[in-house]
Amino acid sequence: ARAEVERAIAAVRAEASAAASSEAMEQAARAARRAIEEAAAAQGVAVELVEEKARRDAARSAAKAKMQQLTSTSDEIVEAATAFAQRKPKLASVLSEGDAVLVGSLGGKPGRIVSMRGKEARVAVGSLTLSVPVSSLTRTAAPPPPAVKISLMGDQPELDAKNEIDVRGMRVDEADDFVLTALDAAIAADLHQLRIIHGKGTGALRARITEMLRKDTRVAGVRMGAWNEGGAGATVAELR
């Protein structure tokens, strides 16, 4: 702008009439310069105001973003704390060997965990030790009642003795303990036979049970189940 004014003044001087005084021309030039200086100063102030406003806007945006970040972090902390609080009861309910439990698959009977393997647990319930899913167990503060040994007199049967057991889904080592426990109870109760339901499957469980029963001197005979006893899916032990 200043350069334009200077060029205009030079043009005016060059084309001015001879009658015009040099003093009047200088006054006109000074007035033009002063006007442009004032205009430039006003523009400078306006630019500074715009820049200051931009800085304030940027500061407000940064503060807002920081506040949003802090709020988001706070929300995440609250959510994590809530999740942890909700998870604490579950962590407290993890079962381990020796815990007193209620066995849901046996109608809530009390027992104690003997050992655990994956999703299954060996639980002592009274005089029996059996494998049950861990999901069917609930920890209890009350210890299970001690196993009561019943002295038999004459032909008095043992109340827990069964003439039929189901070992389907058990591993071979688990089935061994379960069958022997049931066999002891059946002998003590003076039962005549014990039917063991093992299913057909690959036949490995049936072969193991048959071998074990034939080696037991308390077993008079071993046969496959009749058509109404489960057929090949069951083995019947005739007891002495």
Side-chain angles (χ1 to χ4, degrees), residues 10-173:
V12 170
R13 285 174 175 170
E15 297 175 2
S17 141
S21 66
S22 61
E23 183 178 356
M25 292 296 297
E26 288 299 330
Q27 289 178 354
R30 283 195 295 272
R33 289 193 187 96
R34 188 163 50 252
I36 199 64
E37 293 284 351
E38 292 173 355
Q43 282 292 337
V45 171
V47 169
E48 289 180 0
L49 290 175
V50 170
E51 291 176 346
E52 179 63 22
K53 182 177 182 301
R55 285 193 292 270
R56 288 198 302 269
D57 290 345
R60 280 197 296 268
S61 298
K64 184 177 180 181
K66 186 67 175 178
M67 183 60 68
Q68 290 176 344
Q69 181 180 2
L70 291 175
T71 302
S72 176
T73 302
S74 176
D75 291 342
E76 291 175 357
I77 293 174
V78 171
E79 291 176 359
T82 302
F84 179 77
Q86 293 174 348
R87 200 163 53 241
K88 284 177 68 178
K90 294 181 180 180
L91 293 176
S93 66
V94 174
L95 299 173
S96 58
E97 294 182 9
D99 285 346
V101 293
L102 299 177
V103 185
S105 57
L106 296 180
K109 285 189 176 181
R112 186 176 299 279
I113 297 178
V114 176
S115 63
M116 297 187 67
R117 183 181 298 176
K119 296 182 179 180
E120 291 188 348
R122 296 276 292 168
V123 181
V125 180
S127 61
L128 296 178
T129 301
L130 61 157
S131 295
V132 296
V134 174
S135 59
S136 68
L137 301 177
T138 304
R139 176 183 285 139
T140 177
V148 178
K149 294 182 179 179
I150 301 175
S151 298
L152 298 179
M153 298 180 62
D155 294 333
Q156 181 181 1
E158 184 175 340
L159 296 179
D160 287 338
K162 297 179 181 179
N163 61 3
E164 176 182 297
I165 59 173
D166 191 340
V167 297
R168 286 176 294 184
M170 293 186 183
R171 294 185 296 272
V172 173
D173 56 337

